[in-house]
Amino acid sequence: MRSVRAALQLIPSSMKSRLKRSEKLTTFYVTSVRKAGLFFDAPTTKQTQALYTQWLSFKRDVLVSEKKARLWQAVIFGAGQVEHTIESVKNAGATKYFVLSNHSSGFAQLLEDEHFDSTVPVLFLASGSALAPHAVEHFLSAIANRDVGVIYCDTDEIDSTGTRSKPKFFPDWNPDLHFSTAYVQSGVMFDTSLLKHDFLFETKSAAQLLAKLATIHSNLSVYHIPLPLIHVCREESEILEELALVKKEVSHQACVQVTCDGAFKLNKLLWENTNPLVSLIIPTKNGKALVQACIESIRNKTSYSNYEIILIDNASDDPESISYFEELDKLPDVRVLKYPQPFNYSAINNFGVEHAKGSLVALINNDIEVIAPEWLTYMVGHAQRENVGCVGAKLIYSDTRIQHAGVVLGYGGGAGHAHKNFPRLHTGYLNRINATSNYSAVTAACLVVKKTHFNTVNGLNEDLAVAFNDVDFCLRVQALGVRNVYCAEAELFHHESVSRGLDISPEKAARFNKELAYLKTTWSHIIERDPAYSPNLTLKRENFSIKTKEELMKERG
């Protein structure tokens, strides 16, 4: 398959276009690539460094900012390489700086210090960090021109020769990712008006402070500067300490059980629930084997017990399937409803929700199989949170490659699945395969949402019969002022395309293009800049690589 892929690069574009019109050839290629499992395309360290060097060259002017005389102060957490950070802060023109060691009393010490100025912005840094040129100007400009109380930036590392490497291009403020990974650890500027409360005492890191504020203020106003303005230097033990501090804050402030997974360097959050009834809606046409595997795995493996299954029979004509569905309808927790209309994924699920008794509804494809028994427990906990909308799961292909770990807007000009085809246990970019986090959208192959949210946005758009209806739905729910969540702890198999096949016939392609055009027109502002992704990362592949030269040139115009 590697040879085939290399050979394809030599074929003229006009011939490629003709070959793509062949349904048989396209089906063979797509299926072979998936089975091979070779092309999840995670960039190597060498590739990343080359792309980053190129990115820095293109962004040279952007990284510069006009220098203005403004007052600011710094707080440095920790003791490792603290002198290096102090020197950097002094060179950047801080009017004051304060060092809070791990043994100090945190903010209790700081706020009682007569030299701390409660009217001047304060930049929090982890010890060992250093400021890139013009970093402070970017921070001060952002805090002066935006109505926000917290600002953070991207980071990288720098060696003794001045070579910059290992960039971390963050998404915009992503509270669930922060709870899971403590991803914002250094380079955070606060409006000091947020720091005048007793509950800030005993805080020992910027990550902990941000987690504390986020649990208290669910709509905390946070701005992200998508530029690497801080050079960090963090040991593995310090990362684990940050996770423990974030765990402490989330556990104290919210109804949640937090466990720290040291192997994967993340926190797992199990939010409390009130044991609501969940209506699992499963559409199907025939597909006895798939439906049987799906429903038996739910009934035999799911630890959460308060659910009903609504199987929607979309004009089945296979006698064996029909007979099996009749037997299912006799079970106390299963209802089989007839929907004898042409296939329309949105309409079928809307019909199912109309008959749902649960306060939560779960849209489930008929080719889903349970892996993790607590999948629904985790998803229900998230879905019941006041500030959460749609909750999606980690879905795995039959060969254990990632099928879905969140949806990113902008891939291919429309939307795509983050980390698609990566190995199941790969960390992904910023640990986002294994860490629960916020995405603009998740797939409806396994999606849980409050029925009230579903009804408020009038359900799925029935003009989108097959493609992007879930993306459109998630974005409309998000517009209610809530966040959508990818729940990494909810693992299930998704034997995608087994039941319906690939959408590559001329008729299907025409329908797909029409639905894609709707998405591009309706949600152009998010496709242009998905806040759950980084504007510095590529939209050509689903692998979180840095933008290519072609993309950077197009961006520059």
Side-chain angles (χ1 to χ4, degrees):
M1 284 307 300
R2 291 187 185 276
S3 300
V4 170
R5 196 175 193 194
L8 286 174
Q9 303 305 312
L10 304 176
I11 299 176
S13 298
S14 59
M15 185 177 293
K16 282 184 185 178
S17 297
R18 289 198 298 272
L19 291 172
K20 287 179 180 179
R21 296 191 192 107
S22 169
E23 184 173 354
K24 289 184 178 179
L25 282 176
T26 307
T27 300
F28 170 75
Y29 179 71
V30 171
T31 304
S32 298
V33 166
R34 183 178 294 170
K35 286 182 177 179
L38 298 174
F39 303 131
F40 63 97
D41 279 336
T44 64
T45 302
K46 185 176 181 180
Q47 289 170 333
T48 297
Q49 183 59 40
L51 288 168
Y52 187 44
T53 301
Q54 179 177 267
W55 184 92
L56 288 168
S57 176
F58 268 84
K59 297 292 182 177
R60 187 180 296 112
D61 294 339
V62 178
L63 289 167
V64 175
S65 183
E66 181 181 357
K67 190 166 186 176
K68 295 182 180 179
R70 291 180 182 147
L71 299 178
W72 65 283
Q73 55 196 335
V75 172
I76 304 167
F77 288 104
Q81 301 186 52
V82 69
E83 293 300 328
H84 173 66
T85 305
I86 291 173
E87 181 182 4
S88 176
V89 165
K90 286 181 176 179
N91 291 339
T95 52
K96 302 184 184 74
Y97 70 87
F98 306 87
V99 178
L100 302 182
S101 70
N102 294 333
H103 303 292
S104 71
S105 56
F107 276 96
Q109 171 187 329
L110 176 64
L111 297 181
E112 292 172 2
D113 193 311
E114 63 181 14
H115 299 293
F116 182 76
D117 191 338
S118 61
T119 66
V120 174
V122 55
L123 180 64
F124 290 82
L125 297 164
S127 62
S129 300
L131 285 78
H134 304 280
V136 173
E137 286 80 6
H138 280 283
F139 276 106
L140 292 175
S141 176
I143 207 164
N145 297 323
R146 298 179 182 275
D147 185 22
V148 292
V150 184
I151 297 173
Y152 72 97
C153 66
D154 297 338
T155 67
D156 65 7
E157 296 182 15
I158 190 168
D159 63 21
S160 57
T161 67
T163 300
R164 301 177 67 166
S165 64
K166 299 180 181 178
K168 290 186 177 179
F169 288 132
F170 298 131
D172 288 349
W173 174 232
N174 197 308
D176 283 288
L177 181 62
H178 190 66
F179 296 156
S180 297
T181 66
Y183 78 98
V184 182
Q185 297 184 6
S186 188
V188 192
M189 182 166 278
F190 289 88
D191 182 330
T192 48
S193 64
L194 288 172
L195 309 180
K196 298 177 182 178
H197 305 286
D198 291 342
F199 60 70
L200 295 177
F201 284 17
E202 303 304 321
T203 301
K204 298 181 182 295
S205 79
Q208 182 187 8
L209 172 57
L210 198 49
K212 186 189 292 265
L213 290 171
T215 55
I216 295 170
H217 306 288
S218 60
N219 293 316
L220 181 68
S221 179
V222 182
Y223 179 69
H224 165 228
I225 303 173
L227 296 172
L229 303 178
I230 303 295
H231 310 308
V232 297
C233 180
R234 307 245 74 191
E235 300 292 336
E236 181 174 325
S237 60
E238 293 175 304
I239 295 172
L240 293 175
E241 288 171 7
E242 295 282 16
L243 285 171
L245 289 170
V246 169
K247 172 186 174 181
K248 174 184 176 182
E249 290 309 322
V250 177
S251 299
H252 282 177
Q253 301 292 335
C255 300
V256 60
Q257 176 184 328
V258 188
T259 57
C260 184
D261 186 333
F264 284 101
K265 299 183 182 65
L266 56 85
N267 290 326
K268 295 183 177 182
L269 282 70
L270 178 59
W271 296 82
E272 291 183 4
N273 67 73
T274 60
N275 195 40
L277 177 65
V278 186
S279 298
L280 310 181
I281 298 168
I282 307 173
T284 193
K285 178 175 182 178
N286 301 319
K288 176 197 170 184
L290 285 174
V291 173
Q292 186 171 10
C294 176
I295 290 182
E296 287 186 358
S297 73
I298 291 172
R299 299 183 78 234
N300 296 332
K301 295 182 181 179
T302 302
S303 57
Y304 189 89
S305 59
N306 194 20
Y307 63 82
E308 63 168 351
I309 295 174
I310 302 176
L311 182 71
I312 307 202
D313 180 0
N314 183 208
S316 293
D317 53 14
D318 170 49
E320 191 175 357
S321 295
I322 293 171
S323 177
Y324 173 63
F325 299 160
E326 289 173 349
E327 291 300 313
L328 282 178
D329 200 29
K330 298 175 184 177
L331 297 174
D333 56 351
V334 179
R335 281 188 284 153
V336 179
L337 304 179
K338 302 286 187 180
Y339 187 82
Q341 307 297 326
F343 176 80
N344 181 313
Y345 182 83
S346 297
I348 294 171
N349 280 286
N350 289 344
F351 171 78
V353 173
E354 287 176 8
H355 293 82
K357 297 177 181 177
S359 60
L360 298 181
V361 293
L363 309 184
I364 308 289
N365 277 18
N366 69 346
D367 51 0
I368 291 288
E369 281 190 63
V370 173
I371 297 174
E374 291 191 320
W375 69 280
L376 193 53
T377 307
Y378 272 96
M379 295 183 79
V380 167
H382 284 294
Q384 280 208 295
R385 293 163 62 190
E386 184 178 351
N387 60 340
V388 167
C390 300
V391 182
K394 179 193 288 185
L395 301 182
I396 314 294
Y397 282 126
S398 306
D399 65 359
T400 74
R401 296 276 163 172
I402 297 293
Q403 185 268 326
H404 170 266
V407 171
V408 171
L409 276 292
Y411 281 149
H417 292 177
H419 295 111
K420 190 172 183 178
N421 289 322
F422 274 55
R424 175 184 175 187
L425 297 180
H426 198 286
T427 59
Y429 193 72
L430 301 181
N431 212 359
R432 290 190 75 172
I433 290 179
N434 299 311
T436 290
S437 61
N438 302 113
Y439 277 92
S440 294
V442 292
T443 180
C446 182
L447 181 153
V448 179
V449 66
K450 296 180 185 74
K451 189 176 180 181
T452 53
H453 284 336
F454 192 96
N455 291 333
T456 298
V457 301
N458 297 315
L460 299 174
N461 185 342
E462 295 183 15
D463 289 335
L464 302 175
V466 177
F468 304 119
N469 40 51
D470 48 1
V471 177
D472 173 71
F473 173 74
C474 285
L475 295 176
R476 285 186 286 120
V477 170
Q478 183 174 260
L480 298 176
V482 294
R483 295 180 182 273
N484 297 323
V485 172
Y486 156 66
C487 179
E489 291 79 18
E491 281 193 306
L492 305 98
F493 282 118
H494 184 198
H495 309 293
E496 189 187 49
S497 298
V498 171
S499 56
R500 191 169 50 82
L502 297 168
D503 282 355
I504 53 178
S505 68
E507 296 79 8
K508 290 178 179 179
R511 184 197 61 228
F512 175 86
N513 288 332
K514 179 182 177 181
E515 294 172 343
L516 175 59
Y518 171 89
L519 186 77
K520 288 182 174 181
T521 301
T522 307
W523 301 106
S524 58
H525 60 294
I526 299 183
I527 288 175
E528 183 179 345
R529 173 72 168 84
D530 187 341
Y533 196 57
S534 168
N536 301 315
L537 299 177
T538 185
L539 293 173
K540 288 182 170 291
R541 294 183 178 85
E542 297 158 316
N543 65 350
F544 288 73
S545 176
I546 299 173
K547 279 184 173 176
T548 62
K549 182 178 181 180
E550 178 186 2
E551 290 176 283
L552 291 170
M553 291 181 67
K554 183 177 180 181
E555 188 179 273
R556 179 184 283 180

